[in-house]
Amino acid sequence: MKITAKRAAIVYALIAAFLAGVCFFVVSLVMNGGEWSSNKANRHIYRGGTIVNAGAIYDKNGVALAKSSDNERIFPSDSNVRKAVLHVVGDTAGVISTGTHYLYRDVLSGYSKIEGIYNLKRSGTGTDITLNIDSEANKIAYKALGDYNGAVAVYNYKTGQLLCSVSKPTYDINNKPEDLLTNEKYSGVFLDKVVSGIYTPGSIMKIVTAGCAIENIPDIYTRTFDCNGKYQTGDGTVICNGEHGKQDFQKAMNNSCNSAFAEISVELGAEKLRAYAETLGFNSQLYAKEIRLMKSRFEPSSTSKAELGWAGIGQSTTYVNPAHFLSLIGAIANGGTGYAPDRIRSTGTVSQIMGRLPQECVKMNPETAVKLGILLRSNVEDKYGDWKFENLQMCGKTGTAQIDNAKSHSWFVGYSQREDLPLAVVCIAEHGGQGSGVASTVSNKVMQYFLSE
């Protein structure tokens, strides 16, 4: 009897192990089946390590940005469109890790937990994806940047839909340059700078410092600041971009006065400035749906008043990510809630549109958002001129980010107050000089396109 019992126990143990193995396999299949099916070893999808068969990728207007036919991946006939959408569509080898080809390779393969990739094998195409991106807007932004590298993005601040996203340098996926990996002009070409770039912000950071001042300095609106072209801190000097004389808080913002905002930064102190910036997403890992954003960093000096002043005006060790700052501007425009940019509109047929609720990225005190909005509108009305953003009812801030031993970066961030145009824009033109030049011009061109739609 004891021998029989031992044998039975062994049999039961083997059965249990078998069932455990089956359960493990089923769970693994459910969890990882999509990734397994889209592995580069799958010859139904890949040839030579690049995608040849997969679902199509469309822009919001139904323009095919990538599709498969006869074991070949086909891209738009316009080379400017191919270059302009490269980073949101992605390359077929998956080197651009934030591209749609790589992030949604399981969806594009048509993988189903029930049928695997049967539909792909049968028809040669997988599941289609439609983006929120407008390829014509991307083309306009790409051409407007001209010879400058950088990033441009526009999104609907009420819904989070990312309508335009351009990163440069780029290349033509149909005519891959032979020196792509060796020529310095293509440095960073596989990086989508909208989501993965990080830059010295210059004066656009004064928006954050202004928000902190509004919430922590009770008499900020009745103060006057005297600018003679520099601000002495005791342990160093912050140089201003002009001599603005006596000015109130709003005029200091209009003038983008380094002296005034350095003084404000020193009064607030490093701890309050850092804490406020962190409520807006600095020093935190943020996401735009499936995409991990490069972390914006703000670590103002607690030992040097001069460095603290420089940090508060967007220099020193301050760095921002364009997509993060787009959400921050969106929070001002949207009464305190800044949504994460979302590039995906739907998968499959139109009747199978994904339920993708807006994802909050930045939260701001609603009263502060209103006050910052007034300041940004005043910048355009009283400093830049509404003529520069015709019919847009624009609110905005330029930035000139000083770079060691190189020409400054040109920034513009802003949004339209028009009810029929709830769009925010961010642009950085690397080494483009003053923000009132290249970046604001590029921003206006792409915003005018959406106004004319």
Side-chain angles (χ1 to χ4, degrees):
M1 291 291 292
K2 289 182 179 180
I3 294 175
T4 303
K6 286 182 179 179
R7 289 176 175 173
I10 292 171
V11 171
Y12 290 144
L14 290 172
I15 292 173
F18 173 76
L19 292 175
V22 170
C23 289
F24 176 79
F25 175 76
V26 170
V27 171
S28 297
L29 181 62
V30 171
M31 297 293 292
N32 304 309
E35 186 174 344
W36 293 344
S37 71
S38 55
N39 188 281
K40 288 187 177 181
N42 190 337
R43 294 187 179 181
H44 294 292
I45 303 172
Y46 291 91
R47 292 286 190 279
T50 62
I51 293 175
V52 291
N53 291 322
I57 300 173
Y58 296 100
D59 82 345
K60 67 186 289 286
N61 298 313
V63 176
L65 305 180
K67 61 183 179 180
S68 292
S69 178
D70 297 327
N71 290 321
E72 182 182 3
R73 204 66 172 154
I74 299 172
F75 300 94
S77 59
D78 188 333
S79 64
N80 285 323
V81 172
R82 294 196 297 268
K83 294 174 185 176
V85 302
L86 173 70
H87 292 90
V88 292
V89 172
D91 62 307
T92 54
V95 179
I96 300 173
S97 61
T98 53
T100 304
H101 270 133
Y102 183 81
L103 283 178
Y104 295 92
R105 57 195 183 279
D106 57 337
V107 175
L108 291 168
S109 74
Y111 174 77
S112 162
K113 290 181 174 65
I114 305 299
E115 297 181 313
I117 59 167
Y118 175 74
N119 287 332
L120 177 67
K121 290 191 289 184
R122 179 181 59 187
S123 64
T125 59
T127 301
D128 297 339
I129 292 178
T130 300
L131 305 178
N132 288 316
I133 296 294
D134 184 322
S135 59
E136 185 63 24
N138 264 39
K139 177 180 174 180
I140 288 170
Y142 163 76
K143 294 180 73 174
L145 271 174
D147 294 331
Y148 294 104
N149 290 329
V152 186
V154 177
Y155 92 140
N156 185 314
Y157 55 76
K158 291 186 179 296
T159 66
Q161 293 175 321
L162 183 63
L163 305 176
C164 172
S165 183
V166 171
S167 179
K168 292 183 74 173
T170 183
Y171 70 93
D172 184 349
I173 199 167
N174 276 1
N175 297 285
K176 188 175 179 179
E178 293 182 359
D179 60 348
L180 185 64
L181 301 179
T182 58
N183 193 324
E184 191 174 305
K185 77 175 184 178
Y186 294 117
S187 177
V189 71
F190 299 118
L191 187 75
D192 184 343
K193 294 177 178 178
V194 172
V195 295
S196 301
I198 188 168
Y199 296 94
T200 299
S203 290
I204 64 169
M205 191 65 188
K206 288 170 183 167
I207 297 171
V208 176
T209 303
C212 187
I214 288 168
E215 296 190 10
N216 290 283
I217 302 178
D219 64 343
I220 190 65
Y221 282 98
T222 58
R223 292 271 190 96
T224 57
F225 303 90
D226 193 6
C227 172
N228 63 3
K230 57 187 176 181
Y231 176 67
Q232 301 283 359
T233 67
D235 64 359
T237 305
V238 174
I239 305 300
C240 194
N241 53 5
E243 295 184 18
H244 302 115
K246 287 191 179 296
Q247 59 197 325
D248 61 16
F249 181 50
Q250 181 167 301
K251 282 296 182 183
M253 177 64 97
N254 295 164
N255 293 327
S256 197
C257 180
N258 290 349
S259 297
F261 275 87
E263 181 180 341
I264 290 169
S265 299
V266 170
E267 179 174 344
L268 288 167
E271 186 176 337
K272 281 184 180 178
L273 268 175
R274 183 189 300 108
Y276 182 74
E278 288 179 348
T279 67
L280 301 181
F282 283 81
N283 302 330
S284 295
Q285 184 57 68
L286 303 177
Y287 290 84
K289 294 297 183 177
E290 294 79 10
I291 301 175
R292 180 176 177 173
L293 301 181
M294 181 62 74
K295 189 184 296 186
S296 295
R297 302 200 302 268
F298 186 60
E299 294 291 345
S301 175
S302 58
T303 58
S304 168
K305 289 183 178 180
E307 283 304 308
L308 171 57
W310 282 114
I313 64 172
Q315 296 290 151
S316 188
T317 57
T318 305
Y319 297 96
V320 304
N321 167 258
H324 170 212
F325 222 89
L326 182 64
S327 293
L328 194 155
I329 290 298
I332 297 172
N334 201 36
T337 300
Y339 293 125
D342 185 5
R343 74 167 63 146
I344 301 297
R345 190 179 189 88
S346 67
T347 62
T349 62
V350 175
S351 62
Q352 295 171 327
I353 291 179
M354 298 168 63
R356 294 171 65 87
L357 296 175
Q359 171 191 344
E360 289 186 5
C361 185
V362 174
K363 289 291 291 183
M364 179 182 292
N365 183 310
E367 292 182 2
T368 304
V370 171
K371 292 176 179 179
L372 287 174
I374 292 171
L375 291 175
L376 297 183
R377 180 68 183 128
S378 175
N379 282 344
V380 177
E381 286 184 308
D382 302 329
K383 186 67 176 181
Y384 315 143
D386 267 326
W387 61 268
K388 197 163 189 175
F389 306 96
E390 190 175 1
N391 298 322
L392 290 177
Q393 295 177 26
M394 202 71 177
C395 304
K397 182 73 186 78
T398 60
T400 305
Q402 297 174 12
I403 309 300
D404 290 341
N405 303 315
K407 191 176 179 181
S408 299
H409 292 334
S410 174
W411 277 96
F412 182 82
V413 294
Y415 64 92
S416 170
Q417 286 186 325
R418 290 180 59 133
E419 288 293 326
D420 60 345
L421 197 73
L423 303 183
V425 60
V426 60
C427 174
I428 174 168
E430 296 174 12
H431 311 299
Q434 292 188 341
S436 58
V438 178
S440 60
T441 299
V442 172
S443 298
N444 177 60
K445 284 184 178 180
V446 71
M447 289 290 283
Q448 291 292 340
Y449 164 77
F450 286 111
L451 179 62
S452 66
E453 265 198 313

